Amino acid sequence: MVVQAKKRELKEAQRRRRQLEERCRLEESIGNAVLTWNNEILPNWETMWCSRKVRDLWWQGIPPSVRGKVWSLAIGNELNITHELFDICLARAKERWRSFSTGGSEAENEDAGFSAADREASLELIKLDISRTFPNLCIFQQGGPYHDMLHSILGAYTCYRPDVGYVQGMSFIAAVLILNLDSADAFIAFSNLLNKPCQMAFFRVDHGLMLTYFAAFEVFFEENLPKLFAHFKKNNLTPDIYLIDWIFTLYSKSLPLDLACRIWDVFCRDGEGFLFRTALGILKLFEDILTKMDFIHIAQFLTRLPDDLPSEEVFASIATIQMQSRNRKWAQVLTALQKDSRDTEKGSPSLRH
Amino acid sequence: MGNRAEEDYNFVFKVVLIGESGVGKTNLLSRFTRNEFSHDSRTTIGVEFSTRTVMLGTAAVKAQIWDTAGLERYRAITSAYYRGAVGALLVFDLTKHQTYAVVERWLKELYDHAEATIVVMLVGNKSDLQQAREVPTEEARMFAENNGLLFLETSALDSTNVELAFETVLKEIFTKVSKQRQNSSRTNAITLGSAQAGQELGPGQKRACCISL
């Protein structure tokens, strides 16, 4: 017995040593990567960001300390939003919160088409959702350190884009940005990110366009995972069932946060196609068990993924997904489908192949 | 009524949970299927799923519950999920009158997309917060009666009436189905439901009937 216990102890010690070594190695490689990003890549962003070396390093995950900077640069600021504009939008949002809490008049609502009731509902909803954003982190909830910041960014956005307003899912995106950027920069990244075609289609809930995105996804689904694709078809499992959650929150709600951030890294590099590539990577990783499940079990599984997904396995799986269909890339497939659906709308029969 | 092994069932009933954001749909579902309640559950985006199999007499009924997002803007998407549903829990928060005021709109949306014979229960949730009540029980009960809906007040937090709510809906569906079966046994034409709700079963499983009412 004593011998056995000693053996166990020894084994446990070995395991711990290996774990420690692994962690040291990881920390060292992150340390090295930080140096490379800070000293070589960031100062020469324009010339270096699309180089092979940087792309490879990027795929391995951006070190948390430079992540915010890289995301900001990669997302860009097409909308030319300044810190001052953020301050103005935030001031207006605060003005509105005050007027609603004191029961202000409707006369000051200058943006046509949006009733006071709608706005109030949207403010209520932001309040409700903030407490339901990463609740387990306990930093966005009432009294938490980032509660006000999340509130500010979402409120400022509804003033910046009253035509879009607040839509559920936004709180998760803003929260992930807040974890990596200061408030004004987070707002700039947030607004520019939401302005991308895929995000606009979803957050405006442009149903037709969303269906086109799902159709494009299915083209690559069938190409990459024909067996699983057939199984899903047979079970009437449409992509909206799982993609809506994944795309709206950019995986931040459904995947462990560190893995979600790595997905964001490459999404910032490769664009919207990577979001759908990730979805296929996840499906492929679980292909064997999914093919044995029926509709409800697949739906349940995909809308509540295991919470211990290892990043490396997910990325290895994503890497095997080819975003090429008959020599056409994501953007080309999407454009062709968009054209098709426009033609159908017009009533002219289109030639599908 | 008791629980049965998850995969051994005679019927699959698709039930949808609808109502405004934040009224407690997800918690009602987790209370019913897992006996769990979370003070800080996450916003539902799109749709989530859960199942529970219950015994009704000698029949095992698997409730396949679709928990939908409450956001108005999402309705274009989520209303498609009502198709094939044989039951619905239309939930409001009895401490927030606004969530009750829009019940009629939800009902219209439901009838626009689901079968007219769908069994609907109006559910006033958060009955544990009596001091904050904004919707009188009688008012909601009257509305339910006038519109041919079942009605209950529940608390997902302290479990009050949660089982009863789901079970009542499932029983009502079951009664309708049984009647339909009796009627149709003469013509031998049981309607099997849409493939979405009545999936193919693996070997060794009982053939499940997914009946559209």
Side-chain angles (χ1 to χ4, degrees):
Chain A
M1 275 245 293
V2 180
V3 179
Q4 256 182 350
K6 274 222 163 115
K7 247 191 195 163
R8 249 204 321 273
E9 220 168 85
L10 204 69
K11 242 189 179 161
E12 181 59 20
Q14 271 176 347
R15 196 184 59 80
R16 269 203 301 267
R17 199 170 51 237
R18 266 203 307 274
Q19 229 173 21
L20 194 68
E21 279 170 10
E22 183 62 30
R23 235 178 73 191
C24 289
R25 245 202 316 276
L26 192 69
E27 269 165 26
E28 198 185 308
S29 83
I30 291 176
N32 288 337
V34 172
L35 288 179
T36 315
W37 280 101
N38 271 330
N39 300 341
E40 293 175 37
I41 306 168
L42 288 174
N44 307 296
W45 179 256
E46 288 305 324
T47 52
M48 274 192 84
W49 79 272
C50 52
S51 73
R52 185 66 204 252
K53 182 190 161 193
V54 174
R55 287 178 64 85
D56 287 347
L57 197 62
W58 203 323
W59 178 269
Q60 288 155 30
I62 303 169
S65 61
V66 290
R67 184 166 259 151
K69 264 183 244 161
V70 177
W71 284 0
S72 281
L73 284 166
I75 292 167
N77 187 3
E78 240 183 13
L79 298 167
N80 287 317
I81 299 172
T82 57
H83 285 210
E84 288 70 38
L85 182 60
F86 170 61
D87 291 337
I88 293 167
C89 292
L90 181 57
R92 289 186 60 188
K94 285 185 170 161
E95 186 57 40
R96 225 166 254 175
W97 294 333
R98 261 197 302 278
S99 78
F100 277 121
S101 59
T102 55
S105 71
E106 284 188 37
E108 58 191 286
N109 296 322
E110 63 279 21
D111 306 299
F114 299 94
S115 72
D118 277 354
R119 289 229 198 86
E120 190 167 25
S122 161
L123 290 178
E124 275 284 304
L125 201 60
I126 291 176
K127 229 166 66 190
L128 175 71
D129 271 1
I130 285 178
S131 68
R132 303 196 293 178
T133 306
F134 299 120
N136 48 339
L137 293 183
C138 301
I139 52 176
F140 296 109
Q141 282 59 49
Q142 188 80 48
Y146 289 133
H147 171 271
D148 293 350
M149 201 160 153
L150 185 52
H151 205 228
S152 297
I153 286 176
L154 295 173
Y157 187 76
T158 58
C159 288
Y160 175 63
R161 290 299 298 263
D163 56 322
V164 182
Y166 174 74
V167 182
Q168 286 183 332
M170 285 183 181
S171 65
F172 284 88
I173 295 182
V176 173
L177 290 169
I178 286 170
L179 292 174
N180 290 283
L181 287 162
D182 292 334
S183 51
D185 289 326
F187 177 74
I188 293 169
F190 182 71
S191 307
N192 279 283
L193 193 60
L194 295 195
N195 201 46
K196 295 194 180 292
C198 175
Q199 276 58 47
M200 259 302 136
F202 276 70
F203 280 108
R204 290 194 132 152
V205 197
D206 179 340
H207 207 187
L209 196 47
M210 285 168 73
L211 289 174
T212 308
Y213 272 97
F214 297 148
F217 168 76
E218 287 197 298
V219 169
F220 293 94
F221 188 177
E222 186 170 20
E223 194 91 13
N224 280 277
L225 305 162
K227 240 179 66 189
L228 191 64
F229 179 78
H231 181 67
F232 276 29
K233 278 272 168 209
K234 198 179 76 190
N235 281 283
N236 253 319
L237 200 120
T238 48
D240 52 301
I241 297 264
Y242 48 96
L243 281 186
I244 284 177
D245 183 31
W246 294 355
I247 303 297
F248 264 105
T249 64
L250 302 174
Y251 295 95
S252 58
K253 183 172 160 253
S254 29
L255 295 180
L257 197 53
D258 56 333
L259 174 54
C261 284
R262 280 195 61 188
I263 306 286
W264 282 46
D265 289 346
V266 189
F267 162 61
C268 288
R269 189 191 79 173
D270 292 1
E272 63 186 35
F274 187 72
L275 297 176
F276 297 90
R277 192 178 175 200
T278 299
L280 292 173
I282 295 170
L283 294 179
K284 185 169 182 179
L285 188 61
F286 297 109
E287 185 173 16
D288 289 343
I289 54 168
L290 289 170
T291 31
K292 292 192 188 79
M293 291 180 181
D294 62 5
F295 171 84
I296 192 70
H297 288 101
I298 299 171
Q300 251 179 303
F301 184 89
L302 293 178
T303 52
R304 209 180 303 140
L305 291 170
D307 46 20
D308 54 354
L309 278 184
S311 298
E312 290 315 318
E313 275 180 44
V314 173
F315 266 83
S317 181
I318 295 172
T320 65
I321 300 294
Q322 294 300 321
M323 290 306 265
Q324 287 259 359
S325 168
R326 296 199 199 100
N327 268 326
R328 293 177 309 164
K329 294 194 167 128
W330 169 262
Q332 292 164 307
V333 170
L334 187 72
T335 314
L337 286 167
Q338 260 176 293
K339 197 178 159 298
D340 278 2
S341 72
R342 266 201 301 273
D343 289 348
T344 324
E345 256 171 49
K346 271 187 255 158
S348 64
S350 66
L351 292 171
R352 287 176 187 251
H353 30 204
Chain B
M1 199 172 329
N3 293 324
R4 279 263 290 243
E6 165 76 358
E7 286 318 315
D8 195 10
Y9 51 84
N10 312 95
F11 296 95
V12 182
F13 292 161
K14 172 174 168 180
V15 175
V16 290
L17 276 171
I18 60 173
E20 292 291 286
S21 208
V23 298
K25 297 182 291 293
T26 302
N27 268 320
L28 278 172
L29 181 59
S30 67
R31 176 61 80 194
F32 177 62
T33 57
R34 285 176 277 137
N35 198 18
E36 283 171 15
F37 179 91
S38 165
H39 278 284
D40 43 18
S41 65
R42 301 174 307 173
T43 311
T44 306
I45 314 272
V47 59
E48 289 177 15
F49 302 85
S50 242
T51 60
R52 190 175 142 189
T53 303
V54 293
M55 287 303 294
L56 298 175
T58 55
V61 170
K62 178 166 170 170
Q64 185 188 89
I65 304 158
W66 296 45
D67 173 21
T68 62
L71 181 65
E72 164 105 37
R73 198 88 72 90
Y74 282 163
R75 223 157 305 164
I77 317 166
T78 49
S79 57
Y81 297 144
Y82 305 161
R83 212 176 46 225
V86 288
L89 274 73
L90 201 182
V91 188
F92 67 91
D93 174 351
L94 56 77
T95 71
K96 283 209 180 84
H97 194 272
Q98 178 272 332
T99 65
Y100 172 72
V102 292
V103 156
E104 208 158 354
R105 257 162 61 203
W106 278 102
L107 207 55
K108 184 180 178 309
E109 189 87 7
L110 184 64
Y111 287 136
D112 277 352
H113 292 87
E115 303 293 317
T117 48
I118 187 171
V119 173
V120 186
M121 175 180 273
L122 182 65
V123 176
N125 191 36
K126 309 197 184 179
S127 65
D128 51 286
L129 300 172
Q130 280 303 338
Q131 68 287 1
R133 177 190 284 276
E134 283 182 10
V135 182
T137 310
E138 277 319 305
E139 187 185 335
R141 190 193 305 282
M142 283 297 286
F143 177 86
E145 246 169 53
N146 293 338
N147 288 274
L149 317 176
L150 300 163
F151 174 70
L152 266 180
E153 288 187 343
T154 59
S155 163
L157 184 130
D158 67 20
S159 300
T160 306
N161 283 348
V162 176
E163 291 266 331
L164 186 63
F166 281 96
E167 286 173 0
T168 308
V169 168
L170 294 174
K171 267 186 197 155
E172 182 76 15
I173 299 168
F174 185 69
T175 312
K176 278 197 181 186
V177 167
S178 306
K179 269 194 202 137
Q180 192 195 31
R181 287 191 111 188
Q182 271 167 12
N183 292 340
S184 58
S185 63
R186 270 166 264 141
T187 55
N188 198 22
I190 294 170
T191 333
L192 286 175
S194 69
Q196 178 113 335
Q199 311 89 46
E200 196 163 299
L201 298 166
Q205 290 175 338
K206 274 192 195 168
R207 181 84 188 98
C209 296
C210 195
I211 306 233
S212 44
L213 297 170

